[in-house]
Amino acid sequence: MAKNFTPHRIAFYIGIVVVWQIIAMIGIWPDNIFPSPYEVVEDLFYGGADGSLFYGIATSMWRLSIGLAIAIAGGIVLGIFMARVEVINQTVGSLVLGLQSIPSIAWVPLAILWFGLTDGGIIFVTAIGAIFAVTINTYTGVKNIDPHFIEAARNMGAKGTQLITAVLIPAAFPYMISGFKQGWAFAWRGVIGAEILFSFLGLGFLLNAGRSLNDVSQVIGIMVVIMLIGLIIDGVVFKRLETKVMSRWGLR
Amino acid sequence: MVFQEGALFPWLKVQDNVEFGLKMAGISKEERAKISHRYLDMMQLTKFADSFTYQLSTGMKQRVAIARALVMDPDVLLMDEPFAALDPQTRDLLLVEMQLIWEKTKKTILFVTHNVAEAAVLGTKVAVFSNRPSIIKKEFTNDFPRPRTAEDDSLKKFQQDVLLELRPEVKKNLE
């Protein structure tokens, strides 16, 4: 963790804020176009004080969690079937590759038509944006399992679902982690994007609300929050999980 | 079955690796622990029961693999070049240990190796296979007293006899 707070890095971010403040103070652009960092923080502080910011974060995180959970569960099942059953790989597998190339935001119109302006619609966009990354990584992971693991497990009497839960999934886990990481990144983009277009609560909604109120400080403030949450989840949750799995699986 | 690389599961602790087959057979946790402790003790791995495989040396990994195969109480223990990846010193130690395990468990062990010295130390019966088609070319009976070690001079003659049968087959493979 200490690595995240190197002197260079701290100086760099302080530098950005200082330069930003100076430019704002020179006054090339009016305040409502280019707010100072102080105004952005102030805006976030008001959002925090009346609770709307935390409510927005909680709403987005809740949708993200449900969507990502669906994507992970579905992606693992799909990936394993693709890796173990050749017919499914040739049919469903080719479709998965095609669907993977659709940006999650492109699912929004369909989601609105199917689910209306509901949480369900946003969760659908989040899940569908993430599921194929999990699927493809799980598939690759299962395909790359050392055949000796499977041979040894069979030799010791593992079969059917036992073989899947006790051997295939743990053996493919290092790849699956990459899938979760990619899936989370897609899901985060998906949920924010969908919230902007659905305009129905969450951080994306707050962004759009800032736009319609002509409140540039709020827009920039929410963007910073979105970035910070992304950094924290990436650096804390996934980095740790990855390091732990890699060292235990003897890959590092 | 014991493989050349051991094929231990890196996501399981040593004890869970050893108990894997028992778990698959649906044996209760207490019963599994009882059985695995006996074999971990036999393989002098008790201290490492809670270690993960990346924390073990190759020699220890191979002992875990042997324990894992033994808990299944098989009629025949099949070992496919289990010591091929080991350094010579570790291998010599395991050759002595293998004989002790064999005496304790009285298992029939089918041991595949390319190393004639290994065959001479371990084997009660040594079968030489011909080059394609692989059929038993000649069987030797090896009744030198145990425990044997790789340095035993009395085994040298036996090794030479085996090599004499083996060499032409290896040559065919190169032609």
Side-chain angles (χ1 to χ4, degrees), chain B residues 43-72:
Chain B
M43 304 307 290
Q44 294 151 42
L45 288 163
T46 310
K47 267 197 295 186
F48 299 97
D50 287 327
S51 303
F52 284 97
T53 56
Y54 73 91
Q55 296 163 317
L56 305 179
S57 68
T58 38
M60 275 152 75
K61 280 184 198 164
Q62 218 42 272
R63 297 213 305 262
V64 177
I66 294 166
R68 186 174 72 166
L70 283 173
V71 293
M72 301 300 288

Side-chain angles (χ1 to χ4, degrees), chain A residues 149 151 155 162 166 248-249, chain B residues 1 3 8 11 24 52 54:
Chain A
F149 285 158
E151 210 180 316
N155 190 259
Q162 269 185 332
R248 175 163 312 164
W249 266 242
Chain B
M1 178 95 185
F3 296 90
L8 297 177
W11 55 89
M24 291 300 113
F52 284 97
Y54 73 91

Side-chain angles (χ1 to χ4, degrees), chain B residues 77-89:
Chain B
L77 188 62
L78 177 58
M79 302 182 77
D80 186 10
E81 298 187 60
F83 302 154
L86 301 180
D87 63 89
Q89 281 74 27

Side-chain angles (χ1 to χ4, degrees), chain A residues 146 148-159 162-163 166-168 170-172 247-250, chain B residues 1 3-12 17 20-26 52-54 68-69 72:
Chain A
D146 181 349
H148 283 109
F149 285 158
I150 296 171
E151 210 180 316
R154 283 232 172 90
N155 190 259
M156 290 183 286
K159 49 183 174 292
Q162 269 185 332
L163 188 68
V167 183
L168 290 188
S247 73
R248 175 163 312 164
W249 266 242
Chain B
M1 178 95 185
F3 296 90
Q4 186 173 338
E5 309 84 357
L8 297 177
F9 301 138
W11 55 89
L12 296 178
N17 259 293
F20 185 88
L22 303 173
K23 196 173 177 186
M24 291 300 113
F52 284 97
T53 56
Y54 73 91
R68 186 174 72 166
M72 301 300 288

Side-chain angles (χ1 to χ4, degrees), chain A residues 52-90:
Chain A
S52 64
L53 176 64
F54 299 121
Y55 187 65
I57 293 177
T59 306
S60 292
M61 294 305 286
W62 173 76
R63 287 165 178 162
L64 174 89
S65 313
I66 308 267
L68 190 56
I70 294 170
I72 287 176
I76 290 175
V77 172
L78 209 56
I80 289 175
F81 270 104
M82 271 168 56
R84 301 296 290 180
V85 186
E86 190 46 36
V87 183
I88 294 186
N89 184 32
Q90 283 178 9

